[in-house]
Amino acid sequence: MSPIISVANLSKIYGSGFKALDNINLEIRRGEIFALLGPNGAGKTTLISIICGIANPTHGKVLVDGHDIIKSYRAARSLIGLVPQELHTDAFESVWATVSFSRGLFGKPKNPAHIEKVLKDLSLWDKKDAKIVTLSGGMKRRVMIAKALSHEPQILFLDEPTAGVDVELRKGMWEVVRQLQASGVTIILTTHYIEEAEEMADRIGVINKGEIILVEEKAKLMEKLGKKQLKLHLQGKIDAIPSALTPYNLELSDEGCQLTYNYDTKGERTGITSLLSDLRNAGIRFSDLDTTQSTLEDIFVSLVRAP
């Protein structure tokens, strides 16, 4: 199946000489949820702006379902819904009017049934006659999503969609995202709530300093770069790790009262059984132990901090 978005050799250089994007190559699969992660200033919003036709690239090419975003702008843009970081709404219009107007901007005929469905899905139906200016920040964010969905796009960009949204509203919004994916909509999101990407995304892309440094299936990424740790809480303090335990690359912490063993589960053996045996032989006793597994946030931080 051909990708719904294809980005080839894309660069963006501003007049000052600042290179916001550096030779980006990326393909987004039809119907997936793709999470684009990166620190502030990494180039996420610039990349989204170019794909959505808001900014022009310096070099490179972007195809949206086969349509060149520059040569066939209208055809490409009509396939995209965008929820930007900043809230831009017609403050003194009603929710119904502003969402309906957004549909008209794409040349779509009036469809009250669709607008009603979108507002109900986003729990905005009881607010349809309310002026935007009277809504809370979280509700305004939902209106932005409703506007993006008004013209029935095949692709939805969510740029920090849950910023400033409370926990209850956030959960409701992600349920809507799941429903959209089930209906065939491709979702591309950026978020600083990395646990959301860990829960929602099919694939993860990491961008840093204008370069894509990794694109991977979420499950494979967690398997490849995730670490498991065994922490042993010792019965007594030790000053140093005995030489017999050197092969395990143990870390001594908590003022000599804790040992940490990093391992993976790719093979059949973790080394834990032999470690515990060697600890006993070395005369080291422990009172408790626990295991932890690195999260997507741990992996993300290690990637963007890498030299």
Side-chain angles (χ1 to χ4, degrees), residues 11-12 30 49 52 63 70-71 84 98 103 108 151 160 186 195 204 211 221 226 230 247 251 263 266-267 286 303:
S11 295
K12 176 65 175 179
R30 193 179 304 271
S49 296
C52 293
L63 298 179
I70 294 178
K71 296 178 181 178
T98 194
R103 179 179 176 85
K108 294 280 188 177
H151 64 288
E160 302 289 349
T186 303
E195 68 274 13
I204 304 289
E211 298 182 9
L221 178 62
L230 173 69
E251 299 171 10
Y263 66 100
K266 294 177 184 177
F286 57 91
L303 286 170

Side-chain angles (χ1 to χ4, degrees), residues 63-79:
L63 298 179
V64 177
D65 203 16
H67 302 288
D68 188 293
I69 194 64
I70 294 178
K71 296 178 181 178
S72 304
Y73 172 78
R74 286 184 177 273
R77 186 64 181 87
S78 68
L79 299 172

Side-chain angles (χ1 to χ4, degrees), residues 40 48 55 86 94 102 112 124 128 150 198 223 237 241 246 260 281 298:
N40 290 332
I48 289 174
E86 301 298 327
S94 70
S102 291
L124 287 168
K128 66 181 185 299
S150 65
E198 188 167 358
E223 179 182 345
K237 177 181 177 181
I241 299 172
T246 300
T260 301
N281 294 336
D298 298 325

Side-chain angles (χ1 to χ4, degrees), residues 104-119:
L105 289 175
F106 288 88
K108 294 280 188 177
K110 291 182 179 180
N111 189 339
H114 174 68
I115 301 299
E116 179 178 335
K117 181 180 184 304
V118 168
L119 295 183

Side-chain angles (χ1 to χ4, degrees), residues 37 52 64 83 161 228 267:
L37 306 179
C52 293
V64 177
V83 182
K228 285 195 172 184

Side-chain angles (χ1 to χ4, degrees), residues 29-259:
R29 300 169 183 168
R30 193 179 304 271
E32 74 174 335
I33 297 181
F34 183 87
L36 182 64
L37 306 179
N40 290 332
K44 302 186 298 295
T45 299
T46 301
L47 177 58
I48 289 174
S49 296
I50 290 175
I51 295 174
C52 293
I54 298 170
N56 290 324
T58 306
H59 305 292
K61 188 175 185 178
V62 177
L63 298 179
V64 177
D65 203 16
H67 302 288
D68 188 293
I69 194 64
I70 294 178
K71 296 178 181 178
S72 304
Y73 172 78
R74 286 184 177 273
R77 186 64 181 87
S78 68
L79 299 172
I80 296 173
L82 170 64
V83 182
Q85 287 186 37
E86 301 298 327
L87 294 172
H88 300 290
T89 56
D90 304 307
F92 297 100
E93 291 286 349
S94 70
V95 170
W96 179 274
T98 194
V99 175
S100 299
F101 179 73
S102 291
R103 179 179 176 85
L105 289 175
F106 288 88
K108 294 280 188 177
K110 291 182 179 180
N111 189 339
H114 174 68
I115 301 299
E116 179 178 335
K117 181 180 184 304
V118 168
L119 295 183
K120 285 182 175 178
D121 287 345
L122 289 165
S123 300
L124 287 168
W125 183 243
D126 62 335
K127 306 289 186 181
K128 66 181 185 299
D129 297 320
K131 301 294 185 183
I132 304 295
V133 72
T134 65
L135 299 180
S136 67
M139 284 295 178
K140 288 177 182 177
R141 180 73 60 183
R142 286 188 174 219
V143 173
M144 294 297 295
I145 296 176
K147 291 175 64 176
L149 295 174
S150 65
H151 64 288
E152 302 168 72
Q154 295 181 28
I155 303 163
L156 181 63
F157 281 92
L158 300 169
D159 195 4
E160 302 289 349
T162 55
V165 175
D166 64 41
V167 174
E168 183 178 357
L169 285 178
R170 189 181 304 156
K171 289 180 178 178
M173 288 167 64
W174 288 121
E175 182 58 36
V176 172
V177 169
R178 289 189 180 95
Q179 294 172 5
L180 287 169
Q181 185 190 29
S183 71
V185 177
T186 303
I187 314 289
I188 300 96
L189 67 95
T190 71
T191 178
H192 282 145
Y193 300 105
I194 297 182
E195 68 274 13
E196 292 181 343
E198 188 167 358
E199 178 183 352
M200 300 291 299
D202 301 307
R203 287 196 303 153
I204 304 289
V206 178
I207 185 171
N208 193 30
K209 298 179 181 178
E211 298 182 9
I212 296 287
I213 59 177
L214 177 144
V215 175
E216 186 65 270
E217 301 279 352
K218 180 182 65 180
K220 290 183 179 179
L221 178 62
M222 298 295 290
E223 179 182 345
K224 184 187 300 182
L225 298 178
K227 294 190 302 182
K228 285 195 172 184
Q229 290 185 334
L230 173 69
K231 292 187 177 181
L232 299 136
H233 305 281
L234 307 182
Q235 290 182 359
K237 177 181 177 181
I238 63 173
D239 296 322
I241 299 172
S243 58
L245 300 176
T246 300
Y248 297 101
N249 294 314
L250 299 174
E251 299 171 10
L252 183 62
S253 60
D254 192 21
E255 298 182 345
C257 294
Q258 178 175 282
L259 286 172

